Amino acid sequence: MKITRVESIPLRIPFTHGGPPLSFAGKPRTTMDTLLVRVETEEGLVGWGDGFGASIFPNTKLVLDEFIAPLVTGRSFDDPAALSEELQVKLHNLGRGGPPIYALSGLDIALWDLAGKAAGTSLSTMLGARRTSLRAYASLLRYGVPELVATNVTKALRDGFELIKLHEITLEASQAARDAAGPSIPIMVDTNCPWRGDEAVHNAQLIAKMDPLWIEEPVWPPEDHETLARVRREARIPVAAGENAANATALIQMLSASAVDYAQPSVSRIGGITEFLKVSAAARQHGVKLAPHSPYFGPGFVATLHLLAAEEADIAIERFFLDLETTPFAGQVDVIGGRVAVPTGPGLGVEPDPALIARYRTA
Ligand SMILES: [Mg+2]
């Protein structure tokens, strides 16, 4: 296949979540953003990818437009992983984490989509699919108010979700979820890196009282593997982390340090499918479970779906629980009753609606 064009398309889709205003990296968060990466080939195929950040990190788009597009336009490829790895080496001086890796993630997913389309096979089939649908877990945003946590947990359970994740940092708010859900619903508590050292161990011990399936990112800074390992040992609570790892190598070092029970590669941040597969293989080797980060609605979500369909363990996929105006693949990969079917068409098996792109693109 010969690449003839690479285009990056930021989409901003407004949402509400029934709670107090949210912020992300110091800015108000009122939209869910997707940076679509569109790669066209001489054979007339179009592949779709997703680079983390979209309009939040304009540098992801800049790396795609200014560095990656000129390097790959006119290039022929058969093996997505080989081209992706070549680009990692070429671009390493831009930085081994953040927007350069997010941009490479977007390209990599599009290359795998193209490889599937060229072979006439779905991505999950290429990877060795073991299932045709997955459970999704409802990933609630932070409410901070126990009553609102309880209301939204009840709402998610009514929608058919059988597992819940919170983004809360207090026992009070987390306990409200447990009280609303009862003892048998698995509840995960994502704290987003709030505590250092002893404080992390102490607060994890508190949250352990509501019996979570795991505590996610209890430690600042996220690369403090030693303290994560201490939380596991001393708070006796399963720990999940990995979405903030700069790249696959860094995430695998986290596994070597016995820092986590659940590894959380994020396909649109870690370097795409190529790098996700390395983390998944390392997790198997280390006897660590996989629980990907997937706050995505576009190709990142669909790629995670295919990747999980090929895992030996039956792993639930993360789905943000909020009211989004629409999604990039509305009607094609909807979560219904807490489950989602893996698309069966070639590659990712989904195509964005051009009218939707025209309406929500910001550049
Ligand atoms: Mg998280």
Side-chain angles (χ1 to χ4, degrees):
M1 269 179 293
K2 188 172 176 181
I3 296 170
T4 50
R5 192 167 176 220
V6 175
E7 192 190 355
S8 58
I9 307 166
L11 302 180
R12 301 196 95 164
I13 303 179
F15 75 90
T16 55
H17 77 301
L22 297 163
S23 66
F24 187 90
K27 292 193 175 189
R29 186 178 206 183
T30 55
T31 58
M32 282 290 146
D33 299 354
T34 303
L35 183 62
L36 283 178
V37 180
R38 183 184 185 278
V39 180
E40 207 174 310
T41 72
E42 199 169 68
E43 297 74 17
L45 295 176
V46 173
W48 295 97
D50 186 338
F52 185 67
S55 38
I56 304 168
F57 300 117
N59 282 353
T60 305
K61 180 167 170 48
L62 188 138
V63 174
L64 270 156
D65 297 349
E66 304 291 327
F67 291 88
I68 294 177
L71 277 174
V72 300
T73 305
R75 271 293 303 266
S76 294
F77 80 101
D78 293 313
D79 178 0
L83 179 53
S84 199
E85 286 182 0
E86 182 191 317
L87 290 167
Q88 288 228 20
V89 176
K90 270 204 180 111
L91 296 177
H92 80 273
N93 280 328
L94 295 182
R96 291 287 297 137
I101 301 292
Y102 305 161
L104 278 166
S105 307
L107 179 84
D108 181 87
I109 296 169
L111 295 179
W112 279 88
D113 186 23
L114 284 169
K117 282 170 171 157
T121 312
S122 79
L123 184 58
S124 58
T125 305
M126 282 173 78
L127 298 171
R130 294 165 188 265
R131 58 192 65 79
T132 55
S133 74
L134 270 80
R135 287 175 305 163
Y137 70 78
S139 187
L140 276 57
L141 299 178
R142 186 173 297 174
Y143 295 95
V145 181
E147 293 74 23
L148 284 177
V149 174
T151 305
N152 283 283
V153 165
T154 305
K155 211 169 133 199
L157 294 173
R158 212 184 297 134
D159 284 357
F161 288 99
E162 292 171 352
L163 304 90
I164 305 279
K165 188 162 92 180
L166 313 172
H167 286 82
E168 302 296 336
I169 49 170
T170 64
L171 173 60
E172 203 190 4
S174 309
Q175 185 65 48
R178 173 58 71 214
D179 293 343
S184 61
I185 295 287
I187 300 177
M188 299 77 92
V189 181
D190 187 350
T191 58
N192 295 112
C193 316
W195 306 302
R196 293 172 188 266
D198 292 343
E199 199 188 3
V201 178
H202 174 73
N203 286 319
Q205 270 162 346
L206 282 182
I207 286 177
K209 291 182 182 168
M210 52 72 68
D211 191 25
L213 185 65
W214 72 63
I215 189 166
E216 185 167 327
E217 292 199 305
V219 173
W220 179 263
E223 50 279 355
D224 180 358
H225 301 165
E226 217 171 291
T227 304
L228 281 170
R230 257 192 75 201
V231 171
R232 283 186 73 205
R233 281 195 316 269
E234 295 176 26
R236 296 173 180 279
I237 178 172
V239 168
E243 66 182 80
N244 279 300
N247 52 53
T249 311
L251 210 164
I252 291 166
Q253 282 163 353
M254 184 180 268
L255 306 185
S256 306
S258 302
V260 292
D261 299 272
Y262 292 87
Q264 301 192 286
S266 186
V267 74
S268 299
R269 297 183 72 169
I270 196 80
I273 290 162
T274 299
E275 300 302 301
F276 186 110
L277 289 170
K278 292 178 188 171
V279 174
S280 148
R284 264 196 307 282
Q285 251 175 28
H286 286 275
V288 167
K289 297 187 180 95
L290 203 64
H293 174 246
S294 72
Y296 307 117
F297 293 90
F301 180 77
V302 186
T304 307
L305 202 55
H306 284 280
L307 283 157
L308 288 183
E311 283 291 320
E312 197 178 320
D314 188 358
I315 300 163
I317 188 168
E318 176 171 29
R319 181 68 164 190
F320 265 174
F321 186 72
L322 37 77
D323 290 315
L324 203 57
E325 230 170 71
T326 186
T327 65
F329 303 120
Q332 300 178 66
V333 274
D334 297 341
V335 178
I336 298 164
R339 283 199 85 84
V340 53
V342 185
T344 53
L348 293 174
V350 287
E351 295 295 330
D353 173 2
L356 183 141
I357 292 183
R359 173 156 183 210
Y360 291 101
R361 70 183 297 164
T362 60

